[in-house]
Amino acid sequence: MQTGLKSNLLIRLGEYKALFFRIGLAYVFYFIARVLFYLYNRGLIPVTSTSEFLKLAYYGVAFDTTAILYVNMIFILLSILPLTINSRKSYQKFLFYLYFATNLFAYFTNFGDFIYYRYSFARTTLAVLDSLKNESNIKALLANFLINYWHVFLLFILLSIAWVYLYKKVKVQPVKIPSKIIYFSSSVVVFLILATAIIGGIRGDFAKSTRPINLLDANRHVVNNAQGDIVLNTPFAIIRTWNTNSFKKVNLVSEEVIQEVIEPIKFYKNNTPTKPNIVIIILESYGREYIESFNKDRNIPNYKGYSPFIDSLATHSLIFTEGYANGYKSIHGTSSVLAGIPSFKDAFTSSPYPKQKIESLVSTLKGEGYDTSFFHGAPNGSMGFLGFGNILGFDHYYGKTEFNDDSEFDGVWGIWDEPFFQYFNRTLTEKKQPFMATLFSVSSHEPYMVPEKYKGKFPKGDVNIHKTIGYTDYALKKFFASAKKEAWYNNTIFVLVADHGNTIFYDEYKKELNRNTVPILFFTPSEKFKGVNSDYAQQIDIYPTLLDMIGYDKPFRSWGRSLIAKEGPSPFVMNYSSNHYQLMSGNYICIFDGEKAVGFYAKDDKAMNNNLIGNRNAEMDALEIRAKAFIQLYMNNIIDKKLTTEKSTNE
């Protein structure tokens, strides 16, 4: 019996050796992808030495293990089941196709992040993939990506060929089975051993009994939070966010603390009630880095800006030079600006909770008799704007369909900014006042093209987006020149803000806490609101600021604050990056994991080089309490559908 068991184990030994070799190959190629990911994004992720990178890669093995075992679960199962046909050529050919169909699909997601990371500053998650459902031109976008980033696809193809070549180096030879009973019994023993190992590997930590590792665990062994994205791999980030919902009710502080430090219901009495028109222009990818008037005091060596018109407008406006986005995607910026609802780990708009009654700039102004409209030159419904706009209650939506002239289509995203901005002006001129209108621009977006007639007109700059920044700035100049002639112009508050940042050139903006900064500008032709303010400001502050400016005389819900009010919460910014919340206020920056502070940094340490958590003081303690209060209010109000000041919040 013992001899038979041994002989049957030897029979399957070739299969087991081939299996371990094939799974081992996945580790090798995941390591190569990690190296390439870093090389493509080395300007954004500080790594001081090869040894430090290798240490990060070592910690990444646990995350690779989880991803590889998930992706290969069926392949492994079919490789170790005692089917008696395992060694046959036809069966091995079937395993070959199964192996590469699953592995190459998962592997390719890493390559997407070689490029996409510079825009999102995070590994791609399921929420990112969900946002693609709102795009009607996915084929055009993919074709454009193929053309502009051909080198990424070439690397993927070359590595795939190498992977296939190496896989074929170890073959399973056909064998005869002398005793099926012993064959099955011995195989079951091995199966149970491997199954136990696989379960532990999928969890990512054999010693951790409470939960599998998740994205947050990538930051356990890093010096800088951004290094967590080297530890991670993209298949893991997608798998771990599959069917997950980060919106969970928490109980961290008392209700009294929330009322004191957040003041969720705002009521301003700083201005006489008026009804000016409100025009909000959200500029696609228009990071603060690109605008000289927002960078005058930063002492950036050899700095150049690319927005001369915005610079000229800024001299007549109220601008906030420490403005931040509250999310990393266009729909995040829209919900933050219009509804004062930020997005953190998962987008509010992609969660189970956006379909509820939401008090917003749209609803409050409609209550004051405003006509409300949203303009976006892309195909109607792109980026989820039409759906979210319907939830907010916009009276009108104007997209590529309403523009009705495809000769001005850029071929990828939508109507060029210059003609669409002019259409925006013409449409507003036909409206009855007061109106509130939001325009979301298109052209300052990858693939960073300008109309043929303007080739060479705008400075090429140092990175791909700079020339399109110049083009959108020119389109704004033409828009204001046209609007200035209209009767509604002098009775209007204009807001300029970006949805998020984009390609970074200057080292100052490569710092962790400067990556997603945006311009925030308020302009009135009368120059009632004017000046340069260096206090913290964020997208969710725009909603309460506008209501304060027009003297809105009713209480309203807001996580942000009026940027012109002297009373209320002190200036702050709350956002999410590298799997942690970041609360900036006063003299410190608090890094918060959802339950407790895990880091404190001086306000000028935007690169987060010196963690001060070992020398906590009273101001740091207060900042941690504020972070707890904010997250508790945010999570609980969204889940409990308390996004209005009304007692009843039925859908």
Side-chain angles (χ1 to χ4, degrees):
M1 180 72 178
Q2 188 174 5
T3 303
L5 177 62
K6 183 177 179 180
S7 62
N8 277 277
L9 284 173
L10 289 173
I11 288 172
R12 299 219 66 187
L13 185 60
E15 297 174 37
Y16 297 142
K17 286 172 61 178
L19 173 62
F20 283 109
F21 175 76
R22 292 162 181 175
I23 298 303
L25 280 179
Y27 282 93
V28 171
F29 284 93
Y30 272 56
F31 174 76
I32 295 171
R34 180 172 281 110
V35 173
L36 292 171
F37 170 78
Y38 169 67
L39 291 176
Y40 269 90
N41 296 286
R42 60 188 179 276
L44 299 174
I45 307 175
V47 175
T48 59
S49 64
T50 301
S51 61
E52 185 176 33
F53 176 84
L54 291 175
K55 183 179 75 171
L56 296 171
Y58 168 76
Y59 291 125
V61 170
F63 298 87
D64 292 351
T65 298
T66 296
I68 291 168
L69 292 180
Y70 261 121
V71 170
N72 288 279
M73 196 179 301
I74 297 176
F75 172 80
I76 294 171
L77 177 65
L78 294 179
S79 296
I80 62 177
L81 281 177
L83 301 177
T84 72
I85 60 171
N86 300 55
S87 63
R88 291 182 187 177
K89 186 176 180 179
S90 58
Y91 190 79
Q92 287 298 314
K93 188 174 183 180
F94 163 72
L95 290 179
F96 170 84
Y97 286 114
L98 173 64
Y99 177 86
F100 282 108
T102 52
N103 275 289
L104 293 184
F105 179 80
Y107 192 55
F108 180 72
T109 62
N110 285 304
F111 288 72
D113 273 343
F114 293 177
I115 304 301
Y116 189 65
Y117 183 81
R118 68 188 64 166
Y119 309 122
S120 65
F121 309 114
R123 288 282 189 168
T124 294
T125 63
L126 188 65
V128 174
L129 301 181
D130 282 344
S131 67
L132 293 176
K133 296 176 183 177
N134 297 311
E135 300 303 331
S136 59
N137 56 341
I138 292 177
K139 291 182 180 178
L141 295 176
L142 180 60
N144 177 72
F145 194 85
L146 278 166
I147 294 169
N148 286 298
Y149 302 110
W150 58 269
H151 42 90
V152 172
F153 289 91
L154 179 61
L155 283 169
F156 173 71
I157 291 169
L158 291 175
L159 286 169
S160 298
I161 292 171
W163 197 342
V164 171
Y165 172 79
L166 291 172
Y167 179 100
K168 291 182 176 180
K169 282 293 183 179
V170 174
K171 300 180 184 293
V172 174
Q173 300 299 330
V175 294
K176 292 183 178 180
I177 301 170
S179 171
K180 289 185 178 181
I181 295 176
I182 298 176
Y183 174 83
F184 278 110
S185 59
S186 60
S187 296
V188 167
V189 172
V190 175
F191 175 84
L192 293 174
I193 294 171
L194 290 178
T196 302
I198 289 169
I199 292 171
I202 284 177
R203 292 180 64 82
D205 190 342
F206 288 93
K208 188 186 289 285
S209 60
T210 55
R211 62 172 175 82
I213 57 171
N214 58 27
L215 273 66
L216 285 174
D217 291 302
N219 291 77
R220 284 190 293 166
H221 306 288
V222 302
V223 176
N224 183 290
N225 274 348
Q227 293 177 341
D229 292 310
I230 294 179
V231 177
L232 289 170
N233 62 75
T234 306
F236 176 91
I238 294 172
I239 290 167
R240 275 293 188 255
T241 54
W242 201 279
N243 290 328
T244 62
N245 172 23
S246 66
F247 288 84
K248 292 179 174 58
K249 295 183 73 170
V250 295
N251 184 21
L252 303 172
V253 296
S254 68
E255 184 63 29
E256 289 74 22
V257 169
I258 290 175
Q259 296 301 323
E260 179 183 352
V261 302
I262 305 297
E263 297 182 24
I265 303 301
K266 306 296 190 296
F267 186 27
Y268 298 112
K269 296 181 179 180
N270 301 313
N271 293 285
T272 303
T274 56
K275 291 187 179 181
N277 305 308
I278 292 176
V279 171
I280 301 172
I281 300 175
I282 304 176
L283 299 172
E284 171 66 62
S285 301
Y286 223 92
R288 195 177 73 198
E289 176 184 2
Y290 313 134
I291 309 173
E292 183 176 354
S293 51
F294 286 80
N295 289 280
K296 287 185 176 180
D297 298 325
R298 298 187 198 284
N299 299 315
I300 300 174
N302 303 312
Y303 176 83
K304 291 180 292 184
Y306 297 88
S307 305
F309 172 72
I310 294 180
D311 288 334
S312 67
L313 188 67
T315 63
H316 305 281
S317 306
L318 174 60
I319 69 171
F320 293 84
T321 58
E322 284 295 321
Y324 290 79
N326 294 111
Y328 286 89
K329 301 179 184 66
S330 297
I331 190 65
H332 299 179
T334 304
S335 67
S336 297
V337 171
L338 297 178
I341 302 176
S343 289
F344 297 127
K345 182 178 179 181
D346 294 328
F348 163 71
T349 49
S350 298
S351 75
Y353 307 107
K355 294 181 180 179
Q356 58 177 293
K357 192 168 185 179
I358 300 173
E359 191 171 49
S360 66
L361 197 57
V362 180
S363 66
T364 53
L365 293 180
K366 283 183 71 170
E368 297 299 299
Y370 279 70
D371 175 274
T372 61
S373 54
F374 190 94
F375 293 75
H376 185 220
N380 291 35
S382 178
M383 298 187 181
F385 294 154
L386 180 56
F388 187 59
N390 288 338
I391 291 173
L392 294 184
F394 276 107
D395 295 315
H396 314 284
Y397 183 95
Y398 302 93
K400 180 173 176 285
T401 300
E402 288 71 24
F403 183 81
N404 197 30
D405 183 359
D406 283 355
S407 67
E408 300 288 2
F409 179 50
D410 65 12
V412 179
W413 279 108
I415 306 302
W416 294 109
D417 280 350
E418 182 188 3
F420 197 76
F421 284 15
Q422 293 300 312
Y423 168 73
F424 181 48
N425 174 59
R426 293 193 301 271
T427 307
L428 294 184
T429 300
E430 297 173 357
K431 290 186 176 294
K432 181 181 177 181
Q433 301 184 58
F435 55 75
M436 174 267 185
T438 300
L439 179 143
F440 200 109
S441 73
V442 166
S443 297
S444 49
H445 197 295
E446 201 275 337
Y448 313 115
M449 303 183 299
V450 299
E452 190 66 33
K453 63 181 179 180
Y454 291 130
K455 290 291 177 65
K457 177 178 175 62
F458 308 105
K460 184 178 179 181
D462 298 295
V463 291
N464 47 17
I465 197 174
H466 283 164
K467 64 179 180 294
T468 58
I469 292 295
Y471 168 67
T472 295
D473 180 76
Y474 178 73
L476 278 171
K477 179 181 178 180
K478 298 284 290 286
F479 164 75
F480 274 90
S482 299
K484 195 172 184 178
K485 301 173 185 177
E486 307 299 345
W488 56 267
Y489 177 80
N490 287 325
N491 185 39
T492 302
I493 299 174
F494 294 88
V495 181
L496 260 65
V497 64
D499 57 343
H500 51 70
N502 203 289
T503 309
I504 295 170
F505 177 70
Y506 295 105
D507 289 342
E508 178 67 19
Y509 283 93
K510 292 177 182 177
K511 295 176 180 177
E512 170 73 18
L513 292 165
N514 277 344
R515 293 178 180 180
N516 207 20
T517 54
V518 295
I520 297 178
L521 177 153
F522 297 87
F523 168 72
T524 52
S526 67
E527 300 189 18
K528 178 180 179 181
F529 303 103
K530 182 179 177 181
V532 179
N533 191 307
S534 60
D535 288 340
Y536 284 126
Q538 54 192 328
Q539 290 169 332
I540 62 173
D541 294 334
I542 291 174
Y543 163 35
T545 301
L546 284 170
L547 292 189
D548 191 4
M549 285 179 169
I550 69 171
Y552 184 75
D553 58 2
K554 301 178 183 67
F556 62 95
R557 174 209 56 82
S558 172
W559 282 297
R561 67 182 187 92
S562 169
L563 296 171
I564 62 170
K566 294 181 180 179
E567 73 274 18
S570 58
F572 76 103
V573 168
M574 188 73 169
N575 56 22
Y576 190 88
S577 180
S578 299
N579 304 313
H580 288 85
Y581 300 96
Q582 300 166 343
L583 174 58
M584 295 176 265
S585 186
N587 294 309
Y588 298 102
I589 301 159
C590 173
I591 308 302
F592 183 69
D593 69 2
E595 296 179 357
K596 64 184 182 303
V598 295
F600 288 100
Y601 299 86
K603 68 176 182 179
D604 294 327
D605 187 7
K606 297 295 176 63
M608 299 200 304
N609 291 319
N610 184 24
N611 193 340
L612 304 173
I613 196 165
N615 298 291
R616 292 183 63 147
N617 57 35
E619 185 177 352
M620 294 178 188
D621 292 340
L623 201 56
E624 180 180 20
I625 290 172
R626 193 170 181 180
K628 290 180 177 181
F630 193 102
I631 295 305
Q632 181 171 319
L633 181 69
Y634 177 80
M635 293 293 182
N636 295 358
N637 276 22
I638 286 177
I639 293 171
D640 292 338
K641 299 186 177 180
K642 293 181 178 179
L643 297 183
T644 75
T645 51
E646 300 175 8
K647 291 183 179 179
S648 175
T649 55
N650 295 327
E651 292 186 31

